[in-house]
Amino acid sequence: VIAMLQDCNLSASQFIISILKCQKYHGHHLAEDLLVRSDEIIEALIKHPSWQDNKSQTTASCDALREQYITEIKLISSEEGGSHFGPSHATIQQLEEFSIEEMGTEMQSRAPALWDLLGFLLGADSSSSFEDVKD
């Protein structure tokens, strides 16, 4: 595999990034495998000795996650996101129609990274549905 990548003048990172970013590979078994095993891949990267020695990589990764969380928080809390709540302007009908289950399901679909973080902080399996976390 390494020789083939070298013959194609591709680095391993270029190959992986192209599989994950290119629309034509969405759903491809290689892309799906990378996504399913992303926890193992990230753990292997973090535990690699050269990663341990390079704090700037760790900081960059943390910054990227932080940006993802901020983006998702803005998305789900915006008025356009439908979850914006102004208690001083809420009507009785809005309060009666509010559903924590619906809000959880919406968060899971619109803010998956934030949902995973919340599940981690609550000790749930990140692949859990809202119903699993609720219980």
Side-chain angles (χ1 to χ4, degrees):
V1 173
I2 293 172
M4 290 295 289
L5 287 172
Q6 288 174 336
D7 288 346
C8 294
N9 202 24
L10 276 175
S11 69
S13 61
Q14 290 171 319
F15 178 67
I16 291 170
I17 290 167
S18 67
I19 289 173
L20 295 173
K21 285 188 170 183
C22 186
Q23 186 69 29
K24 71 179 180 180
Y25 297 120
H26 285 222
H28 190 279
H29 73 278
L30 289 178
E32 295 299 319
D33 180 60
L34 288 170
L35 294 170
V36 168
R37 300 189 66 194
S38 61
D39 290 347
E40 294 172 68
I41 294 166
I42 292 169
E43 183 179 355
L45 287 168
I46 291 170
K47 289 185 177 180
H48 194 276
S50 62
W51 180 280
Q52 301 287 326
D53 297 337
N54 191 343
K55 298 299 179 198
S56 66
Q57 288 176 340
T58 304
T59 302
S61 297
C62 290
D63 289 347
L65 280 174
R66 188 178 305 113
E67 285 301 315
Q68 180 68 31
Y69 296 142
I70 289 169
T71 299
E72 290 185 3
I73 288 168
K74 287 178 180 178
L75 175 70
I76 64 172
S77 64
S78 70
E79 287 188 50
E80 297 82 30
S83 298
H84 188 74
F85 182 75
S88 61
H89 304 299
T91 65
I92 293 173
Q93 181 180 1
Q94 287 173 318
L95 293 173
E96 289 173 345
E97 291 174 352
F98 175 76
S99 165
I100 193 74
E101 288 84 3
E102 187 177 309
M103 186 175 130
T105 302
E106 177 103 4
M107 180 181 180
Q108 185 178 8
S109 67
R110 297 188 74 212
L114 195 58
W115 179 259
D116 287 346
L117 176 63
L118 182 61
F120 172 76
L121 293 173
L122 295 175
D125 177 356
S126 65
S127 63
S128 299
S129 69
F130 173 76
E131 295 299 317
D132 297 332
V133 174
K134 183 178 77 166
D135 298 333

